[in-house]
Amino acid sequence: MSAPDRAPIAGASGPLAILCGAGAFPLEVAHEARRGGRQPFLIGVVGATDAAIEAYPHVWVRMGEVGKLFAALKGRAIAEMVIIGAMARPEFADVRLDWGAVKRAAGLAQLFRRGDNGLLAGIAAIFEREGVRVLGAHEIAPRLLAPAGPLGARVASGEDETDIALGARLLEALSGFDAGQGAVVAGARVVAIEAAEGTDAMLARVAEMRAGGRLRFAGPAGVLVKAPKHGQDLRLDMPAIGPKTIEGAVRAQLRGVAVAAGQVLILERDRCAREADAAGLFVAGFARAGPPG
Amino acid sequence: MSAPDRAPIAGASGPLAILCGAGAFPLEVAHEARRGGRQPFLIGVVGATDAAIEAYPHVWVRMGEVGKLFAALKGRAIAEMVIIGAMARPEFADVRLDWGAVKRAAGLAQLFRRGDNGLLAGIAAIFEREGVRVLGAHEIAPRLLAPAGPLGARVASGEDETDIALGARLLEALSGFDAGQGAVVAGARVVAIEAAEGTDAMLARVAEMRAGGRLRFAGPAGVLVKAPKHGQDLRLDMPAIGPKTIEGAVRAQLRGVAVAAGQVLILERDRCAREADAAGLFVAGFARAGPPG
């Protein structure tokens, strides 16, 4: 279900809904969509989405207001949507189900019984069943994808390349599991593997291990490696890095950040490059053996 | 180089050196060795080993006093040794090299350039080169190994067995990497994977994710799964659990702890069973597909 399996949407036009998670990234995607000739319509989730989305045509919904959401899409004849930002698995008690949700109850109930991949695939299936095609941010805003090669001024050394290759192999080995998308490799040794805690917490752990002497390296060491799982639906859960990732990598005293080229989103790319340069880190896209799927 | 490849030592007798890491476990092994008819001679490392080893014939050495260590072994005609407890990779500056170390400098220098497996294999090779056979605690004290099946009163449910099987498969997939030996699986989802931080820190992370709402389960959920890597030299780096592990599992609100039967050491077994029972946790050994090696 990732991009290569789908008809290209280059040249697509018309309204595009953007279901917005937390942070500034939904606005970057809206900006790129508008640049590409689309009319973005932003959907904010109360308590999660930044109020800055109000710069665009928008509607606010609460978790569980599925009927209101579909009515907003149908009232504007919107047939395509992008879902941006990690969707936290809602606690059942936090959800306010409206009538539109109750009608779709069987599908929604399943969402609470699956891993992250299952949750997101279920959300996409619910939209597609109603005739709303779910696109990936990478399809709307390909300029936000990691390029091949360096983003800033620094480049990976030969030893860094060894660490990157080891991290990429590790992520391949983990790919069959609905677990993490990241690892830290230093001196040809796997020092941290991401699962439910997420990338930022993993980087904080590496910083702690260095401060506490559990990891001993003189000066910067190691690389954060990120890549999507095989079979991961990139429309829904594309790995992403941003200034927070760079900051975490600096605190962990890494030498750089390497992401699968074309398969990882970079939030605020210019700022990432600038801050990485200032700290002496490289940020680079690496070529993967094959596309996920 | 694990146990199955080596001549059985049942019926072996004579003096046995025990190079003691931190904690009470070296004393448990000494006790079992004496029960088995051996004469334990304990080697304490200044600053690392518990003073309680002085209950047995012993010698104290500093990190790097390799010459003193070999002299102690040779003076007592000791040809077999067990190394107990994780050997922290010493900072080069902490090491005081004596003449015996300098003579072996090339071999020692290599230890600082490898992963955990390499470090320990290097230490073993240095001893074996001098005619001191390195045994595993499991060869001297098989009663300290995890049995198949439950240790205490609780047993794993069908859902727990699913989590254990998923964790075991994950550890198999990671086995080719010099990374961790543990994972936490909850509700058929991998929530934490151990690397350099160790099992206790991984369990603390799961406890934090539950407290912070990142992992949402009603009541106890999930299993800590531990197994050695393939090719791991069990003489040197056998995974172990103990009361601290049980305590960490209780804090992480797990349902239980599952370890590869016959391949993981259990420190203070009775206390582990008692404390797990009191907290309502199961502790069990699971059968692995095949022996590591």
Side-chain angles (χ1 to χ4, degrees):
Chain A
M1 295 206 288
S2 59
D5 304 329
R6 298 159 57 87
I9 58 142
S13 63
L16 173 77
I18 303 178
L19 179 53
C20 303
F25 193 51
L27 291 170
E28 284 193 68
V29 174
H31 180 77
E32 286 294 313
R34 185 170 271 173
R35 261 179 34 97
R38 308 297 299 256
Q39 293 90 53
F41 175 70
L42 276 54
I43 300 153
V45 179
V46 175
T49 309
D50 198 293
I53 65 160
E54 301 195 346
Y56 288 87
H58 67 277
V59 66
W60 287 99
V61 298
R62 292 181 175 277
M63 286 263 195
E65 288 185 332
V66 180
K68 183 176 178 186
L69 173 52
F70 278 108
L73 299 179
K74 285 177 182 166
R76 286 163 187 83
I78 295 176
E80 290 187 325
M81 184 170 73
V82 183
I83 302 176
I84 305 293
M87 271 292 133
R89 180 184 303 264
E91 187 70 46
F92 204 79
D94 295 346
V95 175
R96 304 206 189 172
L97 298 177
D98 67 8
W99 178 237
V102 171
K103 282 196 296 180
R104 299 167 181 92
L108 290 172
Q110 286 174 9
L111 301 183
F112 291 86
R113 292 195 217 103
R114 306 199 249 183
D116 280 353
N117 280 353
L119 175 70
L120 294 159
I123 290 172
I126 287 169
F127 282 103
E128 303 231 322
R129 208 177 298 144
E130 311 258 346
V132 178
R133 189 178 179 206
V134 177
L135 305 174
H138 58 297
E139 295 173 280
I140 295 298
R143 295 204 321 164
L144 303 181
L145 291 177
L151 202 72
R154 290 264 175 168
V155 297
S157 71
E159 284 186 18
D160 296 330
E161 296 290 357
T162 302
D163 285 349
I164 294 167
L166 177 58
R169 278 208 313 281
L170 177 83
L171 295 179
E172 293 287 335
L174 282 175
S175 194
F177 300 88
D178 190 0
Q181 310 171 320
V184 175
V185 181
R189 191 174 155 220
V190 177
V191 298
I193 305 173
E194 177 185 342
E197 75 277 18
T199 303
D200 295 336
M202 176 179 64
L203 290 174
R205 173 161 89 247
V206 173
E208 271 169 39
M209 287 194 281
R210 292 209 58 171
R214 191 168 181 106
L215 284 180
R216 293 176 171 193
F217 295 100
V223 182
L224 166 65
V225 184
K226 277 192 76 115
K229 291 165 274 205
H230 287 296
Q232 182 163 337
D233 191 334
L234 296 180
R235 296 173 305 154
L236 297 166
D237 185 26
M238 196 172 220
I241 62 166
K244 214 168 153 188
T245 319
I246 305 302
E247 193 187 310
V250 171
R251 287 214 187 122
Q253 299 177 62
L254 301 188
R255 291 178 45 82
V257 174
V259 300
Q263 298 178 358
V264 175
L265 291 165
I266 303 187
L267 287 59
E268 301 184 62
R269 175 192 293 232
D270 293 344
R271 192 175 146 203
C272 283
R274 203 168 55 238
E275 295 183 358
D277 283 352
L281 260 72
F282 70 84
V283 179
F286 65 88
R288 251 186 130 177
Chain B
M1 294 207 286
S2 59
D5 304 327
R6 298 161 57 86
I9 58 142
S13 62
L16 173 77
I18 303 177
L19 179 53
C20 303
F25 194 51
L27 290 170
E28 285 193 68
V29 173
H31 180 76
E32 286 294 314
R34 186 170 271 175
R35 260 180 35 96
R38 308 297 299 255
Q39 293 90 53
F41 175 70
L42 276 54
I43 300 153
V45 179
V46 175
T49 308
D50 199 295
I53 64 159
E54 300 195 347
Y56 288 87
H58 66 277
V59 66
W60 288 98
V61 299
R62 292 179 175 278
M63 287 263 194
E65 288 185 333
V66 179
K68 182 175 177 185
L69 173 51
F70 278 108
L73 298 179
K74 285 177 183 167
R76 286 164 186 82
I78 295 175
E80 291 187 323
M81 184 170 71
V82 183
I83 303 176
I84 304 293
M87 271 291 134
R89 179 184 303 265
E91 188 72 45
F92 204 79
D94 296 345
V95 175
R96 305 204 187 174
L97 298 176
D98 67 9
W99 179 239
V102 172
K103 283 196 295 179
R104 299 167 181 92
L108 291 172
Q110 287 175 8
L111 303 183
F112 291 86
R113 292 194 216 106
R114 305 199 252 183
D116 280 352
N117 281 352
L119 174 70
L120 294 159
I123 290 173
I126 287 169
F127 282 103
E128 302 231 324
R129 207 179 298 143
E130 309 259 348
V132 179
R133 191 179 179 204
V134 177
L135 305 175
H138 58 297
E139 294 174 281
I140 295 299
R143 295 205 321 164
L144 303 181
L145 290 176
L151 201 71
R154 289 263 175 169
V155 297
S157 70
E159 286 186 17
D160 296 330
E161 296 289 357
T162 302
D163 285 349
I164 294 167
L166 176 58
R169 279 207 313 280
L170 177 84
L171 296 179
E172 293 287 335
L174 281 174
S175 193
F177 300 88
D178 189 1
Q181 310 171 320
V184 175
V185 180
R189 191 174 155 222
V190 178
V191 298
I193 305 172
E194 177 185 342
E197 76 277 18
T199 303
D200 295 336
M202 176 179 64
L203 290 175
R205 172 160 92 248
V206 174
E208 271 169 39
M209 286 194 281
R210 293 210 57 171
R214 192 168 182 106
L215 284 182
R216 293 178 171 192
F217 295 101
V223 182
L224 166 65
V225 185
K226 277 192 77 118
K229 293 165 272 205
H230 286 297
Q232 182 163 335
D233 191 333
L234 296 181
R235 297 174 304 155
L236 297 167
D237 186 24
M238 195 172 220
I241 63 166
K244 216 168 153 188
T245 319
I246 305 301
E247 192 187 311
V250 171
R251 287 213 186 122
Q253 299 178 62
L254 300 188
R255 291 179 45 82
V257 175
V259 300
Q263 299 178 357
V264 175
L265 290 165
I266 302 187
L267 288 58
E268 301 184 61
R269 175 192 293 230
D270 293 343
R271 192 174 146 204
C272 283
R274 202 167 56 238
E275 295 184 358
D277 282 351
L281 260 74
F282 70 84
V283 179
F286 65 87
R288 252 185 129 176

